[in-house]
Amino acid sequence: MALKCGIVGLPNVGKSTLFNCLSNAKAQSANFPFCTIEPNVGVITVPDDRLNKLVEMCNPKSVVPATVEIVDIAGLVKGASKGEGLGNKFLANIRETDAILHVLRCFDDDNITHVDGSIDPVRDKEIIDYELQLKDLETVEARIAKTQKAAQTGGDKTAKLQYEVLKQYKEALDEGRPARSVKFETIDEQRYARELFLLTNKPVLYVCNVDEASAATGNAYVEAVRKAIADEDASLLVVAAQTESEIAELDTYEERREFLAAAGLEESGVARLIRAAYALLDLQTYFTAGPDEVRAWTFMRGSKAPQCAGIIHTDFEKGFIRAEVIKYDDYVTLGGENAVKEAGRMGVEGKEYIVQDGDIMHFRFNV
C-alpha cells in the first residue's frame, strides 16, 4: 500500500536531520536554505512489538514488516504560492503525498541560522499554513468560476453540490482556516471534497524539533505551538532530531537503550514518529503467521475482510469465501494457532467482517 507522508517546514528547522534518522537514504544536510532540492524518499519500517513476538513464536524463514513511505521535501519560504524560492515545486511535491509531517524549530542555537532571523515556531507554522491556504484558495476560486453559473441557473444537481462544497471551503480559507476544518455530512459531498486534492485538507502532524534537554518534557516553544493548534484537527509530537541522530549512530540496542534512559525517554522519537505517521494515514495492521513467513499487512481502518484479502492478491478478494481470524492476544496467550483452534477461539468470518488491528488472518478463497 503505497501511501506516503511528506516532511515539510521552513529551511533549517531539522527536516533533513530527521529524515536521515528515519531512513537509510541520506538527504544532504547543511546550514543553508534549499540544501535538499529534490524530494528524498525513504521506505520506513513501522516498529511493532507484536510482529517481534510472532517471529519469536513461529521462527519463520522470512519476516516482512509494515512500512510507510517518507518524503523529505525542500524548505519553503514566504511567497511560495506565487512561485518564490522553490515554491511551485514544493507545492507540487506536497500534493503528491497523503499526509504532512510539519517540522517546527523549537530550539535555540546561534550556530544554525534561521531564514527569518529569530526563533518563533508559531510564526513559522503560519507562514507555511498561509502559503498552502493561498494555493488552495486559488484552486477553489478557479473551480467556483467554472461551476457557479450551472449551479445557480440550471437544474444540474451535481453542479449545485459542487458549488456548495466549494463555497464552504472558500469561506474557511478566507478566514485563514485549513480545508480539513470543514466537515461534510453526505457521501457525495465527501467524495467531491477528496477529489479536489486540497493541500490543507491533508492530515497533519506537527513535529516540534527540540534540544536534548527538552526531549522528554518539551519547552515553552512547544507549548506555544500546542496552544496555536488547539482548534485544528491535527496532532503534535516532540522530537529532538539531533539527539535522534546521535542515537542512530550507536552500534548496539543496549547502548541505544542506555542513551534513551539518560535522556529520560522510554523509546526513541523516531519510533514514536513512525507510528504516529502510520496512524496519521489511518492505517492499521493485520498479520499472517506461520513457519514460512510472518508478515505485517497494512490496511485502511474500517476495511472489510474481502478488501484486506485483496491486499495479498486480487484473486483472494474476487474469490473470497471466508476469513479465519485469531485475535493476537489469544495467539500469544494460548501459544499459537493449533492451541487457539483446540480452545475454540478461532473465529470464522464472512464478507461483512471489519478487520481489526492486530488480527491474525487466514483467507479461504476460490477462483
Side-chain angles (χ1 to χ4, degrees):
M1 184 172 290
L3 295 175
K4 57 186 177 183
C5 292
I7 300 180
V8 306
L10 293 180
N12 291 350
V13 297
K15 301 187 317 304
S16 294
T17 300
L18 191 59
F19 179 83
N20 289 346
C21 298
L22 288 167
S23 172
N24 290 327
K26 295 295 183 183
Q28 184 188 5
S29 184
N31 186 24
F32 56 89
F34 311 132
C35 168
T36 309
I37 296 177
E38 295 297 332
N40 291 267
V41 181
V43 178
I44 314 300
T45 298
V46 179
D48 195 326
D49 289 338
R50 298 172 302 181
L51 181 70
N52 298 337
K53 183 63 178 178
L54 291 175
V55 169
E56 178 186 315
M57 293 178 68
C58 296
N59 190 27
K61 296 175 184 175
S62 68
V63 180
V64 184
T67 60
V68 63
E69 198 169 287
I70 305 290
V71 185
D72 180 23
I73 298 173
L76 174 146
V77 295
K78 290 178 182 178
S81 60
K82 304 301 181 185
E84 294 293 327
L86 298 171
N88 291 328
K89 195 173 188 65
F90 174 95
L91 295 167
N93 290 333
I94 292 180
R95 200 177 298 280
E96 293 172 1
T97 65
D98 300 289
I100 296 172
L101 307 178
H102 187 159
V103 181
L104 297 167
R105 179 172 170 176
C106 295
F107 65 90
D108 295 304
D109 189 334
D110 293 338
N111 294 318
I112 302 177
T113 60
H114 189 287
V115 70
D116 283 326
S118 62
I119 310 302
D120 185 343
V122 174
R123 175 203 60 206
D124 295 353
K125 167 194 172 306
E126 290 173 349
I127 288 172
I128 288 189
D129 286 351
Y130 180 69
E131 297 299 333
L132 299 184
Q133 288 165 11
L134 279 181
K135 201 65 178 178
D136 279 350
L137 190 58
E138 181 183 303
T139 300
V140 167
E141 289 178 339
R143 294 293 186 100
I144 286 176
K146 290 182 179 179
T147 61
Q148 187 170 7
K149 185 175 181 180
Q152 293 179 335
T153 61
D156 189 336
K157 292 182 179 179
T158 299
K160 287 182 178 179
L161 179 145
Q162 293 175 348
Y163 182 61
E164 290 303 315
V165 169
L166 291 165
K167 276 204 312 181
Q168 290 187 58
Y169 273 146
K170 186 178 187 310
E171 180 181 339
L173 293 165
D174 281 338
E175 293 174 355
R177 293 186 288 118
R180 65 180 174 276
S181 67
V182 182
K183 306 299 180 185
F184 298 102
E185 294 183 1
T186 71
I187 293 175
D188 288 338
E189 288 174 329
Q190 293 168 4
R191 183 182 297 113
Y192 178 64
R194 286 194 299 271
E195 290 172 357
L196 292 170
F197 295 105
L198 297 179
L199 300 172
T200 64
N201 206 23
K202 297 178 186 294
V204 174
L205 173 68
Y206 290 102
V207 182
C208 292
N209 184 16
V210 301
D211 55 77
E212 182 176 343
S214 306
T217 60
N219 56 29
Y221 292 133
V222 173
E223 292 311 309
V225 174
R226 200 184 303 278
K227 183 177 179 181
I229 69 169
D231 295 330
E232 287 191 32
D233 184 13
S235 303
L236 181 147
L237 187 72
V238 177
V239 173
Q242 187 57 45
T243 302
E244 295 295 325
S245 180
E246 294 170 10
I247 293 172
E249 292 177 2
L250 297 175
D251 293 329
T252 67
Y253 171 77
E254 190 63 32
E255 287 177 314
R256 290 192 289 272
R257 191 174 65 176
E258 290 177 1
F259 193 111
L260 288 168
L265 299 169
E266 293 184 4
E267 65 174 345
S268 74
V270 164
R272 289 185 289 115
L273 178 56
I274 296 170
R275 278 202 297 272
Y278 196 69
L280 191 66
L281 293 167
D282 214 18
L283 302 178
Q284 293 184 322
T285 302
Y286 75 83
F287 301 97
T288 51
D292 289 330
E293 179 184 79
V294 169
R295 181 163 183 160
W297 298 90
T298 297
F299 68 97
M300 296 294 294
R301 182 193 304 271
S303 297
K304 293 181 179 179
Q307 288 74 54
C308 287
I311 295 169
I312 298 177
H313 196 286
T314 53
D315 285 349
F316 284 28
E317 182 173 2
K318 291 175 184 176
F320 180 88
I321 299 173
R322 65 180 182 273
E324 297 171 354
V325 184
I326 299 174
K327 296 302 177 184
Y328 171 79
D329 286 345
D330 286 341
Y331 193 98
V332 172
T333 302
L334 296 173
E337 182 175 331
N338 291 334
V340 170
K341 289 179 179 178
E342 290 172 4
R345 298 286 294 174
M346 186 179 76
V348 178
E349 306 290 350
K351 293 182 178 180
E352 296 304 308
Y353 177 70
I354 297 175
V355 177
Q356 302 298 303
D357 187 48
D359 280 353
I360 298 168
M361 312 287 291
H362 183 73
F363 298 105
R364 299 293 183 182
F365 69 102
N366 181 30
V367 177

